[in-house]
Amino acid sequence: AEEHSGRVEDAGASITAGFPALRAYVRRLVDASLASPEADTDAAVSMLMAAVVGDAVTRRDLPAIYGVPADEAPERYARCFLT
């Protein structure tokens, strides 16, 4: 496990870095009246990131919980998030 700790930390840093960018994008959507100002944007961003990361980490070991094919998942998660 120790030999993988650096990779896990790098992955965690990359994932964490994505949150502010996605939050800023959603705020721009709200500002442009393309998303509801009443939407819980922080929860929406957290849910999208959790879906993408969770899928990437667990799909191989828990394929039965995914109804979306792996090659379609990122686009469909993003589409769901944006609608």
Side-chain angles (χ1 to χ4, degrees), residues 9-47:
E9 289 173 9
D10 290 345
S14 296
I15 293 164
T16 301
F19 275 93
L22 189 53
R23 281 192 185 106
Y25 174 72
V26 171
R27 286 191 191 106
R28 288 194 306 275
L29 292 176
V30 170
D31 291 346
S33 299
L34 297 172
S36 171
E38 297 167 5
D40 187 345
T41 56
D42 285 336
V45 167
S46 294
M47 288 175 59

Side-chain angles (χ1 to χ4, degrees), residues 45-73:
V45 167
S46 294
M47 288 175 59
L48 176 60
M49 294 295 286
V52 171
V53 171
D55 189 320
V57 171
T58 64
R59 182 177 284 270
R60 184 182 59 168
D61 296 325
L62 301 169
I65 68 170
Y66 295 98
V68 177
D71 62 333
E72 297 175 20

